[in-house]
Amino acid sequence: TRTRGRTPSDDHSGFVKIKQRETREAGDARVTLTEKTQRAQMEWRQGRAGQMRLREQLKEPSLAGWQRRKIELKLKLGADGWEPEKKIATSSMEKIRLLNSEFPKEWTIKHLSEQFKISQESVRRILKSKFQSSEEHTEQREHQRKLKIRAFKRSEKGGSK
């Protein structure tokens, strides 16, 4: 058997594997779906139906702005929910909060997302969150960072000899 990447209904994407067995006597290829592929195909169809329902809800004119944004996020993020592509350090999050609170007109969500090279949704979530790490945790993290820098510098010196 050989394996080729195919989706249940689309030849252009490669997230599901399909096993293909070639029969020598008939000369044509017979395609059989694995159990995993059949499950993925069913989930894919159910996901499409859910997306269609959400799109219908978006057409409703009486939706409030926050409801519209919530539905758009569900459509964009899918079933997995929020999983940002790029994660930034806690110190950067603190800078984002500080800049926005001190200079809200200059440091808008759009400007912050461009400067920190993260999505506008990430900036919006950072500004919305009120998380503050404890000083003990911050000191411990800083101590670990310094240890890693020292180890890196020692390895550089040892490697150049």
Side-chain angles (χ1 to χ4, degrees), residues 4 8 21 25 43 88 127 129 136 140 143 149 156:
R4 290 188 300 169
R21 296 186 184 124
E25 33 319 311
E43 289 170 6
I88 62 172
L127 293 174
S129 74
E136 181 181 313
Q140 184 181 12
H143 179 69
I149 290 172
E156 266 189 349

Side-chain angles (χ1 to χ4, degrees), residues 102-152:
E102 295 291 321
F103 310 103
K105 289 187 175 151
E106 295 88 23
W107 290 96
T108 60
I109 291 175
K110 183 177 181 182
H111 190 219
L112 286 165
S113 70
E114 290 168 355
Q115 290 299 312
F116 285 88
K117 295 178 178 51
I118 57 175
S119 69
Q120 289 185 21
E121 180 62 20
S122 296
V123 173
R124 191 183 70 74
R125 286 174 181 252
I126 289 168
L127 293 174
K128 184 178 165 185
S129 74
K130 303 295 180 196
F131 173 77
Q132 293 291 322
S133 62
S134 66
E135 287 189 30
E136 181 181 313
H137 187 261
T138 306
E139 288 173 13
Q140 184 181 12
R141 209 173 50 237
E142 186 65 24
H143 179 69
Q144 291 293 326
R145 187 181 71 81
K146 286 179 182 177
L147 288 176
K148 286 180 183 179
I149 290 172
R150 283 188 206 133
F152 178 74

Side-chain angles (χ1 to χ4, degrees), residues 2 10 23 56 124 129 139 153:
R2 71 176 182 201
D10 186 21
T23 56
E56 289 299 318
R124 191 183 70 74
S129 74
E139 288 173 13
K153 287 181 179 179

